[in-house]
Amino acid sequence: AAKKAEETRQHALSLQTMVNETEAATSVHLNAEQEKARAKAAKEKADEAAKQAEEMHQHALNLQKMVNETGAATSVHLNAEQENAREAAAKEKADAAAKKAEEMRAHVQGLA
């Protein structure tokens, strides 16, 4: 009976060891699964951040293009304004010269 009790006790210890090892392996497996899930979530966040960064970069390029186009249009407009001012000044000079020439002609006629 003592021998049978010892065998039963050894068997129980063996079963308990197997249970402990299974629990340990299960715990390691669950930790690995959790780590994989965390890594996957981190990758998804990184991918989303990269996508947003690319969208922001494209938006910045579009804004820069708009600024460049607006600057070019403003430059053309200012050049046109300057040309108009030069033409107006030239016309004023021509009108003044014509008036002066008319005055001189009238003066010469008055002398004759």
Side-chain angles (χ1 to χ4, degrees):
K3 182 180 175 192
K4 184 70 174 164
E6 181 56 26
E7 287 174 359
T8 301
R9 193 180 73 76
Q10 287 299 325
H11 186 61
L13 287 175
S14 179
L15 289 175
Q16 185 60 53
T17 300
M18 287 172 60
V19 166
N20 292 346
E21 289 171 355
T22 301
E23 285 177 350
T26 301
S27 177
V28 167
H29 178 71
L30 288 176
N31 287 343
E33 288 294 318
Q34 288 174 333
E35 192 55 39
K36 278 170 49 178
R38 281 193 290 271
K40 182 180 177 189
K43 183 186 179 315
E44 287 172 0
K45 279 186 180 177
D47 289 348
E48 181 62 26
K51 181 181 169 194
Q52 287 179 356
E54 179 58 25
E55 288 171 357
M56 291 174 90
H57 177 66
Q58 287 301 322
H59 185 59
L61 289 177
N62 288 339
L63 289 175
Q64 185 61 54
K65 182 179 174 190
M66 288 170 61
V67 167
N68 293 345
E69 289 169 355
T70 301
T74 301
S75 177
V76 167
H77 178 72
L78 289 176
N79 288 342
E81 291 291 319
Q82 290 173 336
E83 190 57 36
N84 290 343
R86 282 192 290 271
E87 287 175 8
K91 185 179 181 319
E92 285 177 17
K93 280 186 181 176
D95 288 349
K99 183 178 176 190
K100 189 75 167 166
E102 181 57 33
E103 288 171 0
M104 294 278 248
R105 190 188 64 72
H107 181 66
V108 169
Q109 267 188 346
L111 292 177

